[in-house]
Amino acid sequence: MESDMNSKRVLAGREMTGDSGILSEVKRAFLHYDFPDFSTGVVKSRVGASANRRAIGHGNLAEKAILPALPHRNNFPYTIRLTCEVTSSNGSSSMASACGASLALLDAGVPLISPVAGVSVGLAPGSNELLLDITGTEDHYGDMDFKICGTHGGITAMQ
């Protein structure tokens, strides 16, 4: 069985194969992150628009956070596609995507090694005080924006 999923081919429902420029890749699971213009209050046409650098980076971060928690191929021999649709943004949408993806996998019955959670950390301007789960305003005016994801066993991704 072959189908097209975001310019990638899926063979026999088990592995995703595709071509990303010059590299051939085989992925067992991937996360599709969509951050449409309306999620930040922008109204414009998306005809011919593709993901921007920000959306690609946030999607990669959330995907890297989830992949280490997936069960071994022998215990769960299926291809996993996660879709994260950001509909509003006032904080870390990539950390929300990592947490939401973990919850969705658990709800779907995927035997995760451990649930994944993520948080954004900011530094208050002019001080050494850390802010957790920062909002858009704190991100904009703050001195630092650090994101970290993990399980009870350790860190799975950070930016």
Side-chain angles (χ1 to χ4, degrees):
M1 174 176 122
E2 283 193 16
S3 66
D4 186 303
M5 293 186 348
N6 293 347
S7 301
K8 307 287 185 184
R9 290 179 315 181
V10 174
L11 302 175
R14 298 229 174 182
E15 287 184 336
M16 182 188 79
T17 61
D19 187 9
S20 60
I22 59 171
L23 299 175
S24 293
E25 59 186 13
V26 175
K27 293 175 84 175
R28 192 174 145 242
F30 73 104
L31 186 140
H32 176 112
Y33 176 92
D34 190 25
F35 193 90
D37 298 323
F38 66 79
S39 63
T40 57
V42 175
V43 179
K44 68 179 184 180
S45 173
R46 300 245 324 158
V47 177
S50 61
N52 60 26
R53 186 175 58 88
R54 180 181 184 277
I56 292 168
H58 285 298
N60 285 340
L61 179 62
E63 181 179 271
K64 287 178 182 179
I66 293 293
L67 292 180
L70 294 178
H72 190 271
R73 180 182 309 268
N74 295 340
N75 298 334
F76 196 80
Y78 306 104
T79 297
I80 299 170
R81 178 185 183 192
L82 295 159
T83 302
C84 296
E85 288 283 334
V86 178
T87 57
S88 178
S89 179
N90 187 23
S92 179
S93 55
S94 59
M95 296 300 91
S97 296
C99 295
S102 179
L103 291 172
L105 289 167
L106 290 169
D107 191 45
V110 177
L112 292 180
I113 295 169
S114 182
V116 175
V119 67
S120 56
V121 182
L123 185 63
S127 75
N128 290 329
E129 294 183 30
L130 293 178
L131 306 170
L132 292 179
D133 197 22
I134 58 176
T135 65
T137 305
E138 293 164 337
D139 184 16
H140 180 74
Y141 292 108
D143 290 337
M144 176 184 75
D145 178 17
F146 177 75
K147 295 172 175 50
I148 188 162
C149 298
T151 67
H152 67 81
I155 296 169
T156 58
M158 66 179 156
Q159 173 192 22

